[in-house]
Amino acid sequence: MKQLSEQQIILHGFNNLTKTLSFNMFDICYTKTRKEREAYLVYIDEQYNADRLTHILTNVSDIIGAHVINIAKQDYVPQGASVTMLVSEGPIDEDSPKSINESLPNSVVIQMDKSHITVHTYPEYHPDEGICTFRADIDVSTCGEISPLKALDYLISSFDTDIMTIDYRVRGFTRAIDGRKLFIDHEISSIQDYIPDDVREQYDMIDVNVYQENIFHTKCKLRAFDLDNYLFGYTTKELSGEEEKRITDALKKEMDEIFYGKNIDGSRS
């Protein structure tokens, strides 16, 4: 039998609740020329290549108390990268019979096939303007008592983030010894509860939560705006007042569209 430490409820068998944290970050940049745009994409590809992403995901696994079973990683051409990790709640018995993938014991595949950590990156740019965006999608999905929310602070600090979209969902159920179903094994009112105060102060945040379905959603947009932080290859000293305003308006419009999830027609007031 398994016992939940927080609620002190005796479980019938294995805790098979699936907890999934989806963390999406966006970095926005402005380039004046095609050469600068290509240089930005090269910079992003080097900064967030498969090896560095693997290092980040390995740290996530350590933070949540999971054990890495297998890693698959890939850098793409012309840009982008992916990493997928299969993880388990407990250490792996090296004497277990192996599956077709020699790094993966059969017993773990059967019991822990819903525990994984993945990241995919998407550098892109506007075809007619100078705006470039970089998006990284990270999913931390665990089965058992380990919680992906423990890694949220580290994920935020690992990326240069202008906008974040964070989703957390608990799926399935586990069963108490008396047969009652438990659809969640911990208290949560908002994802913001798991974001440090100093980070929350830096962002405007919106929650959209469906408590009865154990679905939690938080969107974050950086409050401070310093144009120099968004220019790649030059500074505001090289811009006229008119150029500075035009670029500022374009960047803020781009950030608002991503944050609110819709296109905004017309210029900003």
Side-chain angles (χ1 to χ4, degrees):
M1 304 304 173
K2 192 77 172 176
Q3 188 174 16
L4 294 180
S5 57
E6 291 185 3
Q7 297 183 354
Q8 298 299 304
I9 296 174
I10 305 299
L11 297 185
H12 175 70
F14 176 66
N15 183 342
N16 56 10
L17 287 169
T18 298
K19 304 164 189 173
T20 300
L21 174 70
S22 294
F23 174 82
N24 311 101
M25 62 77 63
F26 298 85
D27 177 68
I28 317 298
C29 179
Y30 192 91
T31 58
K32 288 196 296 185
T33 66
R34 179 176 179 178
K35 184 177 180 180
E36 289 171 354
R37 184 180 69 202
E38 292 174 349
Y40 170 77
L41 294 176
V42 169
Y43 164 77
I44 285 294
D45 255 12
E46 292 175 350
Q47 189 76 1
Y48 297 107
N49 59 35
D51 286 338
R52 186 184 176 210
L53 294 172
T54 299
H55 176 72
I56 291 173
L57 296 197
T58 301
N59 287 340
V60 168
S61 177
D62 291 341
I63 290 169
I64 66 176
H67 298 262
V68 177
I69 303 170
N70 192 43
I71 300 173
K73 59 183 179 179
Q74 181 66 52
D75 287 303
Y76 298 110
V77 177
Q79 62 259 341
S82 294
V83 179
T84 299
M85 287 184 175
L86 191 63
V87 300
S88 72
E89 183 177 10
I92 307 307
D93 182 1
E94 295 297 336
D95 295 327
S96 299
K98 302 295 182 180
S99 65
I100 295 175
N101 183 335
E102 285 300 318
S103 65
L104 218 57
N106 286 329
S107 59
V108 176
V109 174
I110 293 170
Q111 189 178 30
M112 300 299 294
D113 60 350
K114 290 186 177 67
S115 292
H116 61 267
I117 308 173
T118 65
V119 59
H120 305 284
T121 65
Y122 304 90
E124 68 92 48
Y125 55 88
H126 192 289
D128 301 319
E129 299 181 9
I131 292 177
C132 301
T133 65
F134 167 69
R135 182 177 111 231
D137 295 349
I138 298 178
D139 290 314
V140 185
S141 188
T142 65
C143 188
E145 294 183 34
I146 55 179
S147 173
L149 289 169
K150 293 180 179 179
L152 184 54
D153 182 22
Y154 171 75
L155 286 173
I156 293 172
S157 66
S158 297
F159 294 89
D160 187 12
T161 305
D162 296 311
I163 298 169
M164 298 181 290
T165 302
I166 309 168
D167 295 281
Y168 178 68
R169 181 180 181 185
V170 182
R171 294 176 293 172
F173 65 88
T174 194
R175 205 180 284 276
I177 190 66
D178 61 4
R180 289 180 302 115
K181 297 180 182 67
L182 303 174
F183 295 94
I184 193 167
D185 62 357
H186 64 286
E187 293 185 2
I188 177 174
S189 60
S190 170
I191 293 172
Q192 294 189 42
D193 297 339
Y194 295 83
I195 301 176
D197 292 343
D198 61 326
V199 176
R200 289 208 308 268
E201 291 172 357
Q202 299 175 37
Y203 290 87
D204 290 322
M205 296 188 175
I206 297 175
D207 275 2
V208 181
N209 300 323
V210 185
Y211 297 105
Q212 64 270 28
E213 298 295 337
N214 295 320
I215 297 174
F216 305 88
H217 175 75
T218 298
K219 295 192 292 186
C220 316
K221 184 178 69 169
L222 201 62
R223 288 176 177 170
F225 183 88
D226 182 347
L227 182 56
D228 277 323
N229 292 334
Y230 295 89
L231 302 178
F232 189 84
Y234 59 103
T235 69
T236 53
K237 294 180 180 179
E238 303 169 56
L239 300 175
S240 67
E242 183 178 342
E243 284 180 310
E244 189 170 334
K245 183 181 184 306
R246 178 180 58 80
I247 295 172
T248 296
D249 287 346
L251 286 167
K252 288 186 174 181
K253 180 174 181 285
E254 180 82 359
M255 294 172 70
D256 283 347
E257 289 182 339
I258 294 172
F259 183 64
Y260 293 109
K262 61 181 181 180
N263 291 304
I264 300 173
D265 296 328
S267 60
R268 294 180 57 89
S269 58

